[in-house]
Amino acid sequence: MNIGDVSARCGLPAKTIRYYEDIGFIKPLRDSNGYRVFRPVELHKLAFLGRARALGFTIEDCRALLALWEDKGRASADVKRISNGHLAMIDTKIADLQEMRATLSNLVEACAGDDRPDCPILKQLSSN
Amino acid sequence: MNIGDVSARCGLPAKTIRYYEDIGFIKPLRDSNGYRVFRPVELHKLAFLGRARALGFTIEDCRALLALWEDKGRASADVKRISNGHLAMIDTKIADLQEMRATLSNLVEACAGDDRPDCPILKQLSSN
DNA sequence: TATGGGGTCTCCCCCCACTGGAAGGTCAAG
DNA sequence: CTTGACCTTCCAGTGGGGGGAGACCCCATA
C-alpha cells in the first residue's frame, strides 16, 4: 500500500504520516522506486495514533501508549495512569477556559456595542 | 524605567517584553548605553497586553484591541465584535475538550487499572 | 582602583505537531 | 509521448514565546 491509500484509510494527511515515520512511530518498507510500502501493521498503528491524537494525547503519550499496545504483557494500570494524567490536563484546560469565558462574557454583556467609544472591555483591560 | 522594573510591574517576563517590541506593540526609547527606556505609556500598553493575553486573546486580536484602545473615537461595537469572536473560539475549544473528556472518562472508568493486560482504553484506540 | 555581582544587550536555536511549498522522480492512461 | 496524479526529499514557517551564549554596563564595596 502506498502513502495515499494509507492516508485515505486512516484519515491522516500524508505529511503527518511521513512525520510519524520521522519521529519513529512507524518504519514502513521501501519499494525499489523509493516509495514507502505500508503493511497492515503500520496501518493499524497509524489508525491507533489518529484516535489517540483525536483524544488529545500528546505525541509522547502516544509513544508510551503505542509501546504498551505492542506489549502483550502490559499492565492496564500503566495505560490508566497515562490516561488519568491526560484527563487531569484536560480538566485544567477546561477550567482555565471557563474562567476566561466567565470574565470575558461579563465584559461583553456590559458593553453596549454601539457607535460610542465608551467600552467596559477596554476599561477593564486598561485598569491599573 | 529599565526592562527589569517594567517586567516586575506589569508581570511580563523581559523576554516577552522584547518580543512585543519586535512585533511592533511598543517602541521604547533607548538610553545612550543601548538600554531600553520605558515611559508610562509603554508600561500601560504592556499591562493592557498582559491582561488581554490572560483572557486568551491572540496576538493579532491584541493588536486590534490596542489600536482601538488608542483610538479615542472608536466604536465600542468593534471591541465587542472582536470579543464575541474570541468568546466563540473559547466555546469551541471548551466543547472540543469536553467531548474528549467525556470519551476518555468513560474509557478510564471501564479500565480495571491492575496488573492484567486487558484494557478497554487500548481496545478502543485500536478498534477498526 | 579593582573586582564582583547583577542587569542588559543581541543573536540564535528550541518547543509542539505539524503544514506549505519547491524541485524533482515515477507511474498509468490516452 | 504527453499529461496529470502521485511520490520523494528538503527547507521554512506557524504561535508565543523560552533557554542560553557571549559581551557590555552599572553600582557598591574593599
Side-chain angles (χ1 to χ4, degrees):
Chain A
M1 233 186 327
N2 283 349
I3 200 167
D5 308 312
V6 176
S7 172
R9 288 215 202 184
C10 73
L12 294 173
K15 282 269 187 186
T16 301
I17 296 172
R18 293 193 194 99
Y19 173 65
Y20 286 173
E21 179 185 8
D22 257 16
I23 63 176
F25 279 166
I26 50 168
K27 297 194 189 345
L29 303 175
R30 295 294 178 135
D31 210 340
S32 58
N33 57 14
Y35 287 18
R36 288 169 182 81
V37 174
F38 295 85
R39 290 158 296 177
V41 60
E42 277 101 21
L43 187 55
H44 287 139
K45 279 195 194 180
L46 288 168
F48 181 98
L49 289 167
R51 290 189 204 98
R53 293 285 302 130
L55 285 178
F57 283 104
T58 66
I59 291 289
E60 286 317 303
D61 279 347
C62 287
R63 198 182 297 281
L65 288 172
L66 205 52
L68 288 169
W69 180 60
E70 293 192 277
D71 174 8
K72 295 304 173 195
R74 72 194 161 238
S76 70
D78 290 337
V79 183
K80 191 166 183 171
R81 188 179 35 75
I82 294 172
S83 302
N84 269 323
H86 180 44
L87 209 45
M89 291 290 304
I90 291 177
D91 284 343
T92 301
K93 285 187 187 172
I94 290 177
D96 288 352
L97 286 169
Q98 279 176 339
E99 198 175 333
M100 283 181 197
R101 208 215 109 86
T103 304
L104 191 55
S105 181
N106 283 337
L107 290 174
V108 163
E109 280 173 29
C111 176
D114 56 19
D115 290 348
R116 291 171 299 170
D118 182 57
C119 177
I121 303 172
L122 292 181
K123 198 168 293 173
Q124 172 70 22
L125 289 174
S126 55
S127 72
N128 293 328
Chain B
M1 236 187 327
N2 283 349
I3 200 167
D5 308 312
V6 175
S7 172
R9 288 213 203 183
C10 73
L12 294 172
K15 280 270 189 188
T16 301
I17 296 173
R18 292 194 193 99
Y19 174 64
Y20 286 173
E21 180 185 7
D22 256 16
I23 63 177
F25 279 166
I26 49 167
K27 296 193 191 346
L29 303 175
R30 293 295 177 134
D31 208 341
S32 58
N33 57 15
Y35 285 20
R36 288 168 183 82
V37 175
F38 295 85
R39 290 158 296 177
V41 60
E42 276 100 21
L43 187 56
H44 287 138
K45 279 195 194 180
L46 288 168
F48 181 99
L49 290 166
R51 291 189 203 97
R53 293 284 302 133
L55 284 178
F57 283 104
T58 66
I59 290 289
E60 286 317 303
D61 279 347
C62 287
R63 199 183 295 281
L65 289 173
L66 205 52
L68 289 169
W69 180 61
E70 293 192 277
D71 174 8
K72 295 304 171 193
R74 72 196 160 237
S76 70
D78 291 336
V79 182
K80 190 165 183 172
R81 187 179 35 76
I82 294 172
S83 302
N84 269 324
H86 179 44
L87 209 45
M89 291 291 303
I90 291 177
D91 284 343
T92 302
K93 285 188 187 172
I94 290 176
D96 289 352
L97 285 168
Q98 279 176 338
E99 196 175 333
M100 283 181 196
R101 206 215 112 87
T103 305
L104 191 55
S105 181
N106 282 339
L107 290 174
V108 163
E109 278 174 30
C111 176
D114 57 18
D115 290 349
R116 291 170 299 170
D118 181 56
C119 177
I121 303 173
L122 291 181
K123 197 169 295 174
Q124 173 70 23
L125 288 175
S126 56
S127 72
N128 292 329

